[in-house]
Amino acid sequence: MARDMTGPGTNRRGISSFAQRVAGQPAQSGKVGGKQGPLGRLYLSQLIPALLIVILGVINMWSCALALEGEVNFTSHLAGIALGFAAAVVVWRYDYRNLANLTTALFVLSCVMLALPLVPGLGVEGGLGGLGWVRVGPLRFQPSEPSKLVVIALMASACAQYNGKIEDFRDYAKLCGTLLVPLLLIMVTDLGTGLMIFFTGATIIICSGAPRAWVLATIALIVGVSALVVITSSIDGLPHILKPYQLTRLTVFLDPEGSSSEDAYNLIQAMIAIGSGGLLGKGFGNASQSLLGFVPESQTDFIFATFAEQFGFVGSVLLLALYAWMILATIFLAMKVDSTFSKLVLVGCAAMWTFQVLESVGMCIGIMPITGIPLPFMTYGSSSMVTQLAAVGLVQSVWRHRQKVA
């Protein structure tokens, strides 16, 4: 007779732990979410590419600091990274699930943050007269950057209530309205970030189980309204919702050579810089097009052009491969966790990174409108760096608390 391997004299937990170790999975302790080894608390598949991109960004920004003295403070860039890592650690240690039932609080917080630049005495003008910045004493920052993560948590919390299936159209309309309020607030001050928030929030709603017919109808409505806004803003005598520079940025990529605007010049110079990088690039610090003033805002809006000119096609493919690795790792984790809220938080982070990479790279090569969206971990600016690294911490928090997910 076969011996009963699970009899009273057998440690069932020991067999389970041994089987998990053989399968390469972390063994669970008696308590759900028990102690794990240091590496077991980190989702290396997502963390490694993020860290490698940060390193590439430091190298790239060093070259900018050497050439653009007075415009780039390399010490400030490193300080932004240090603050970002500190924020990532705090978020990683925090149990993100506490946000799942704070929909109202997150909604109010997102609206307050996005309205701060409109408060007299706080809001300050950025480039081209845009009101996206807030100054408090010597501190100057963009509240729209951290609001990205607040909106992700807000939409994930609101959508998770339906457990992956939205059956009532009123619920779908309520979710769209929840996204619409912060979207309208950010559109007033920052069109590019508004587009990013819209893409991220819409992706979360779609992945929360919204019927395809409703989604397609909403997309058609948005396209129609957007076209109407662009058309009316282009015709004299009609209401101009878009500011002149916003309209130019949205349309110049269609025919940069036929436009005499400053943005067309910027785009053409960026494409020349990327093309001149060739296969292997001109080498560190030798980006004559980007670092000698031909490409304006080469440390911010057109940072990808600066990188591509120095490190060429091979370096650019490596950078994009690292972004793809990071984003896909986040999506794969979303497919593994059981909690709806966890899935939607991860989907939001992946959507945010995807849009920013596609837009920031695409505008440098002339296939996307020029919006000034920062390239994650690469663009100069502490507000963006802290937010992007905090997003990494959010993904790591999901991984760290995965055994606690119910």
Side-chain angles (χ1 to χ4, degrees):
M1 178 180 292
R3 184 178 176 184
D4 185 2
M5 297 300 293
T6 59
T10 304
N11 187 331
R12 293 171 181 262
R13 189 176 300 155
I15 292 177
S16 175
S17 298
F18 174 76
Q20 287 177 322
R21 288 196 295 270
V22 171
Q25 300 173 355
Q28 296 183 10
S29 65
K31 186 194 297 184
V32 176
K35 293 183 178 180
Q36 308 171 30
L39 292 181
R41 300 173 186 172
L42 297 174
Y43 184 39
L44 296 179
S45 295
Q46 189 265 350
L47 182 61
I48 290 174
L51 293 178
L52 290 175
I53 298 171
V54 170
I55 293 172
L56 291 178
V58 168
I59 296 172
N60 198 41
M61 198 54 62
W62 185 19
S63 68
C64 291
L66 293 175
L68 304 174
E69 189 174 353
E71 296 182 42
V72 176
N73 186 327
F74 188 61
T75 302
S76 176
H77 184 72
L78 295 180
I81 293 175
L83 288 173
F85 277 125
V89 170
V90 171
V91 175
W92 168 64
R93 294 182 62 85
Y94 177 75
D95 191 343
Y96 72 99
R97 297 176 306 152
N98 295 328
L99 302 173
N101 299 316
L102 298 178
T103 305
T104 302
L106 290 169
F107 178 79
V108 173
L109 179 60
S110 65
C111 292
V112 170
M113 292 178 69
L114 293 173
L116 282 178
L118 301 176
V119 177
L122 285 179
V124 295
E125 290 188 358
L128 297 176
L131 280 173
W133 297 84
V134 166
R135 185 186 298 278
V136 180
L139 180 64
R140 184 172 180 265
F141 67 99
Q142 287 180 284
S144 62
E145 287 296 326
S147 71
K148 295 175 182 177
L149 299 185
V150 177
V151 171
I152 288 175
L154 163 66
M155 296 310 300
S157 173
C159 293
Q161 301 174 30
Y162 302 99
N163 295 317
K165 190 172 183 180
I166 303 174
E167 298 179 337
D168 192 329
F169 183 77
R170 289 175 297 181
D171 293 331
Y172 175 73
K174 180 180 177 181
L175 293 175
C176 292
T178 301
L179 176 61
L180 183 61
V181 176
L183 179 62
L184 292 177
L185 285 173
I186 188 60
M187 282 291 194
V188 175
T189 59
D190 190 340
L191 177 61
T193 302
L195 293 175
M196 193 285 304
I197 287 179
F198 166 74
F199 179 85
T200 302
T203 301
I204 293 175
I205 293 175
I206 292 171
C207 292
S208 64
R212 183 180 302 177
W214 299 353
V215 172
L216 293 177
T218 305
I219 292 174
L221 176 62
I222 292 172
V223 171
V225 172
S226 301
L228 182 62
V229 168
V230 172
I231 291 173
T232 57
S233 298
S234 305
I235 301 176
D236 294 335
L238 294 180
H240 288 191
I241 298 177
L242 295 176
K243 298 178 181 178
Y245 80 89
Q246 291 176 327
L247 180 63
T248 301
R249 284 192 156 197
L250 286 175
T251 58
V252 73
F253 77 104
L254 297 174
D255 184 20
E257 295 183 356
S259 175
S260 59
S261 71
E262 179 181 347
D263 287 304
Y265 170 82
N266 296 349
L267 173 57
I268 292 173
Q269 294 301 317
M271 291 192 291
I272 292 174
I274 293 173
S276 66
L279 182 63
L280 299 176
K282 296 178 178 178
F284 175 82
N286 294 323
S288 57
Q289 190 73 17
S290 301
L291 300 180
L292 292 182
F294 294 101
V295 179
E297 306 298 335
S298 57
Q299 77 277 20
T300 53
D301 292 2
F302 296 99
I303 190 65
F304 178 75
T306 305
F307 181 86
E309 186 176 4
Q310 293 182 95
F311 303 105
F313 177 78
V314 173
S316 299
V317 170
L318 172 62
L319 177 62
L320 294 178
L322 290 174
Y323 279 122
W325 179 6
M326 180 184 70
I327 293 168
L328 288 175
T330 304
I331 294 173
F332 289 153
L333 180 58
M335 296 170 63
K336 293 179 181 179
V337 297
D338 295 325
S339 164
T340 302
F341 178 68
S342 305
K343 289 180 181 290
L344 295 179
V345 165
L346 293 169
V347 164
C349 290
M352 176 184 70
W353 286 322
T354 299
F355 181 87
Q356 291 188 157
V357 172
L358 291 178
E359 171 59 29
S360 186
V361 173
M363 75 178 194
C364 288
I365 60 178
I367 63 173
M368 296 290 282
I370 300 174
T371 58
I373 288 289
L375 186 60
F377 316 114
M378 297 286 289
T379 297
Y380 182 67
S382 296
S383 298
S384 173
M385 183 65 71
V386 172
T387 299
Q388 299 306 316
L389 288 173
V392 172
L394 184 57
V395 175
Q396 297 299 316
S397 179
V398 174
W399 172 261
R400 186 184 188 197
H401 300 94
R402 68 196 183 283
Q403 293 180 351
K404 300 180 183 179
V405 173

